[in-house]
Amino acid sequence: MPIALLALAIGAFGIGTTEFVMMGVLPQAAADFGVSIPSAGYLISGYALGVVIGAPLLTAVAVRLPRKTMLLAMMGLFTAGNVLFALAPNHELGVVFRFIAGLPHGAFFGAGAVVASSLVAKGDRAKAVSMMFMGLTLANVVGVPLGTLLGQQVGWRATFALVAVIGLVAIGGIAKLVPHQGKPAETSLRGELAAFRKPQVWLALAIVTFGLGGVFACLSYVTPMMTDVAGFQPASVTLLLSLAGLGMTLGNFLGGRLADRALMPSLYVALGALATVLAVFTITAQGKIGAAITIFLVGVAGFMIGPMMQARIMEKAGGTPSMVSAAVQSAFNIANSIGAYLGGLVIAGGLGLVAPNWVGALLAVLGLSIAVVSGTLDRREDADTPAPAPAMATAGS
């Protein structure tokens, strides 16, 4: 794999850390700003809102830029947002700065996925994209636990100052290692938006939204599930989250390789496995060993889907993949919101702390159903495409 993928992975590591470590240092930030935990939760939703808005907006603004320039600009904005947040004087400005830090998230991954796939042969594209996203999954194994520990020992501001340093390292790596990426001659905002006229693009975004929504229905409430149901001590939760992160890393690795071999069959298997594992989790959550094994498997099955869908949507977008590739990140964060909301709804309704797993299983089944519809359309399109006419024999042949 090209070494330029390392620079992209470092950027992804920084982004993944800043997105998820806020959950680990939320009590410290709330105390520092003098607000309640629910109010401090806006520091999480502010970032997510920045992702959803920034992915299409910044991609549209920067569509005429060379992709390397766009990557550097997005990582520069990301770094600045984290510096500002580390220095935020109050909660209100903290939410604003988190929103700013989230703006380049989707645009970076959108451009990065296109660049990663352009660096390798066609048969290795999903694998290359998964290598970039490996940084995102490793953030859950290394970045989030260490950032949480740093925030608890030194202060939450030190955590985000460190994230800003990671951003600077990524900027240096991209500048040094990523080759110049001239924009295709036909690139235009109109051309990028034209990709959204394709039904398969919307089906792909729906698969991400509902399929991965199943993962977040579970993971959003995994802490009380592990402590109040499985019986783990609160101090063990960080290790359990790292275990889930290891599963995500393995899933991302496997997903990229399976997508290059047989994308749609592999996607069906991944979504079916996710639905099954989440359903089983309603039972295994009652004991420590079963819960630990299952949370690992949720990470594996859920994050196999990511590189598959990134490859799928770039394939269906054709020659204008940047905008739809960035839109995958918006769909990912919408999945986060939907999963967390529906999971909270069933808990509030008195169905118990394991009920979000049933919600997750149903969302995964819905994602699988949409994937089957998408695959059926593929087969119909192939059947409707006329076979090429045989070549005429030439004299003397």
Side-chain angles (χ1 to χ4, degrees):
M1 289 282 110
I3 193 168
L5 294 175
L6 175 62
L8 299 176
I10 292 171
F13 179 83
I15 289 174
T17 299
T18 206
E19 180 176 20
F20 296 114
V21 79
M22 192 72 247
M23 301 172 189
V25 299
L26 201 64
Q28 289 76 28
D32 189 19
F33 287 138
V35 299
S36 66
I37 291 291
S39 294
Y42 288 118
L43 297 169
I44 297 173
S45 55
Y47 184 92
L49 183 61
V51 178
V52 173
I53 292 175
L57 181 63
L58 292 183
T59 302
V61 169
V63 71
R64 295 186 180 277
L65 291 176
R67 290 191 177 112
K68 180 175 180 177
T69 303
M70 183 176 179
L71 288 171
L72 290 169
M74 295 303 102
M75 192 48 57
L77 180 58
F78 166 82
T79 302
N82 280 283
V83 169
L84 290 170
F85 180 57
L87 300 173
N90 55 56
H91 176 249
E92 290 76 15
L93 281 176
V95 173
V96 172
F97 295 148
R98 281 286 287 173
F99 174 81
I100 292 172
L103 285 172
H105 177 128
F108 177 85
F109 278 116
V114 176
V115 170
S117 63
S118 73
L119 296 174
V120 296
K122 185 176 181 180
D124 291 326
R125 287 178 181 174
K127 187 191 303 182
V129 172
S130 75
M131 293 301 292
M132 179 188 71
F133 277 88
M134 190 71 74
L136 183 64
T137 56
L138 284 174
N140 289 284
V141 180
V142 179
V144 172
L146 290 182
T148 299
L149 183 63
L150 180 64
Q152 291 170 344
Q153 299 299 319
V154 182
W156 68 269
R157 296 178 188 273
T159 299
F160 290 93
L162 179 60
V163 170
V165 171
I166 295 171
L168 290 174
V169 173
I171 290 171
I174 292 167
K176 180 73 174 176
L177 301 176
V178 175
H180 176 70
Q181 296 279 324
K183 72 178 186 67
E186 72 275 8
T187 297
S188 67
L189 178 57
R190 180 179 295 179
E192 292 283 349
L193 291 174
F196 288 95
R197 298 195 192 110
K198 301 176 180 179
Q200 287 284 28
V201 166
W202 287 105
L203 287 172
L205 292 173
I207 294 167
V208 174
T209 300
F210 295 108
L212 286 174
V215 177
F216 291 112
C218 166
L219 294 184
S220 296
Y221 302 97
V222 72
T223 296
M225 207 183 301
M226 294 295 96
T227 55
D228 296 1
V229 180
F232 284 100
Q233 294 298 314
S236 302
V237 171
T238 299
L239 290 176
L240 290 167
L241 292 176
S242 294
L243 185 62
L246 285 171
M248 295 174 192
T249 303
L250 177 59
N252 179 74
F253 178 84
L254 293 173
R257 278 146 185 79
L258 291 172
D260 281 328
R261 294 184 180 182
L263 199 159
M264 292 307 290
S266 299
L267 180 61
Y268 300 151
V269 170
L271 287 164
L274 177 61
T276 302
V277 169
L278 287 170
V280 169
F281 203 7
T282 61
I283 300 170
T284 57
Q286 310 299 325
K288 290 183 179 180
I289 295 176
I293 293 172
T294 312
I295 196 64
F296 173 79
L297 294 176
V298 169
V300 174
F303 276 71
M304 284 173 64
I305 298 166
M308 293 178 184
M309 293 314 304
Q310 198 76 48
R312 172 75 173 172
I313 204 162
M314 287 194 297
E315 172 190 312
K316 293 304 175 183
T320 54
S322 295
M323 184 77 79
V324 292
S325 185
V328 172
Q329 298 303 312
S330 293
F332 183 89
N333 278 269
I334 293 170
N336 193 341
S337 300
I338 289 175
Y341 173 74
L342 293 177
L345 208 61
V346 293
I347 291 174
L351 298 180
L353 289 173
V354 299
N357 293 327
W358 283 119
V359 173
L362 292 173
L363 287 172
V365 169
L366 179 56
L368 175 59
S369 301
I370 298 170
V372 170
V373 171
S374 182
T376 301
L377 289 178
D378 275 351
R379 290 190 292 274
R380 288 180 180 174
E381 290 168 3
D382 291 342
D384 291 341
T385 302
M392 296 293 291
T394 56
S397 62

